[in-house]
Amino acid sequence: MTRTARELLESTTGKLAPDPHANRLLPLIGRGAARRDTLAALALEQRLVIAADRRAFLHLAERSAAEGSAAGPECAAFFGMLAEGETLAQDRLGAYAAACGVDAAGEAAYEPLADCQAYPAYVAWLALNGSPAEVVLALSANFAAWGGYCATIAESLRRQYGFDDEPCGFFDFFAEPAPELEQRASAAVQAGLDAGGLDENEVHHYGRLLQTYETRFWHALWELDQRVH
């Protein structure tokens, strides 16, 4: 039986779901045990990730629109919306960084962690090399895990660290349901299916690597937190 885009999105998200214990930093934040310096490093790493991902999504939108396939317009709309979302997230990140004590001098002196920046490096690779409809599917599966992490962090920052709504806005943004983005993802995947199908093996490869790099991001910050104890 032919699967719908929605069924494929749900099954792919299930297959690529991370080990619930993979993110070792999350429970530290959850009980208020992560240091403020670690929370600040999260802000500084995210500043770099967001800027890189935004450019990658814009490139994917341009590639999708130019390739001339039936799935092109739907994929372009999805990636364009992702790029707009990164711009909004960037605007909200400043309040979180300030609440963590990040100032201009600290930002200038900060040395990014290689494992934190592996994720955007791979997204950039996908922007150059990935089949757009398959990238839509892989990214959508990864975003499900990221949204859950952000929901937990937003709640923990309020409860354990006394942050108010503005500093938590960055995480609230990603934790909130995004029905329009989900609709665009479904439309892009369906267009890919209608145009001749998707290579699910490639989707799995893309998604597995995205999730691995996501795990490395959080593990690098966990290691940073442990080194200073």
Side-chain angles (χ1 to χ4, degrees):
M1 174 183 276
T2 302
R3 286 181 292 173
T4 66
R6 176 52 51 195
E7 290 169 341
L8 187 54
L9 281 160
E10 290 176 355
S11 65
T12 302
T13 298
K15 289 176 183 176
L16 293 172
D19 182 324
H21 304 295
N23 187 335
R24 301 179 76 177
L25 182 65
L26 205 62
L28 289 185
I29 298 175
R31 61 177 184 266
R35 298 179 77 251
R36 292 270 180 156
D37 287 350
T38 304
L39 299 180
L42 172 57
L44 293 166
E45 295 291 346
Q46 276 298 319
R47 193 180 299 277
L48 296 172
V49 171
I50 289 171
D53 282 356
R54 180 179 180 276
R55 287 190 289 271
F57 296 150
L58 287 172
H59 185 73
L60 277 161
E62 292 169 0
R63 275 187 60 207
S64 300
E67 71 177 7
S69 75
E74 301 291 356
C75 290
F78 174 81
F79 292 122
M81 189 172 185
L82 285 186
E84 292 172 5
E86 296 297 323
T87 300
L88 294 173
Q90 187 79 55
D91 292 341
R92 297 185 180 204
L93 185 59
Y96 169 67
C100 295
V102 175
D103 57 19
E107 183 175 354
Y110 184 74
E111 289 290 339
L113 300 171
D115 277 352
C116 284
Q117 296 306 311
Y119 180 96
Y122 184 61
V123 173
W125 185 93
L126 289 174
L128 294 173
N129 300 287
S131 170
E134 291 161 5
V135 175
V136 170
L137 188 50
L139 281 172
S140 296
N142 175 249
F143 290 161
W146 163 246
Y149 294 156
C150 286
T152 299
I153 291 172
E155 194 275 333
S156 299
L157 289 175
R158 289 181 170 95
R159 186 183 72 251
Q160 300 289 3
Y161 296 89
F163 285 22
D164 60 25
D165 288 343
E166 188 178 9
C168 296
F170 172 80
F171 299 101
D172 289 336
F173 176 74
F174 288 110
E176 293 167 355
E180 185 179 355
L181 185 63
E182 292 174 3
Q183 290 168 7
R184 292 194 182 188
S186 184
V189 171
Q190 190 62 55
L193 290 171
D194 294 343
L198 300 172
D199 187 335
E200 292 189 46
N201 286 329
E202 280 297 289
V203 171
H204 179 78
H205 293 156
Y206 296 166
R208 180 183 60 81
L209 286 171
L210 282 169
Q211 199 56 58
T212 299
Y213 293 133
E214 172 95 26
T215 298
R216 288 185 180 181
F217 176 93
W218 296 107
H219 190 76
L221 290 169
W222 175 82
E223 286 188 325
L224 179 68
D225 193 86
Q226 299 307 294
R227 285 202 299 268
V228 296
H229 273 88

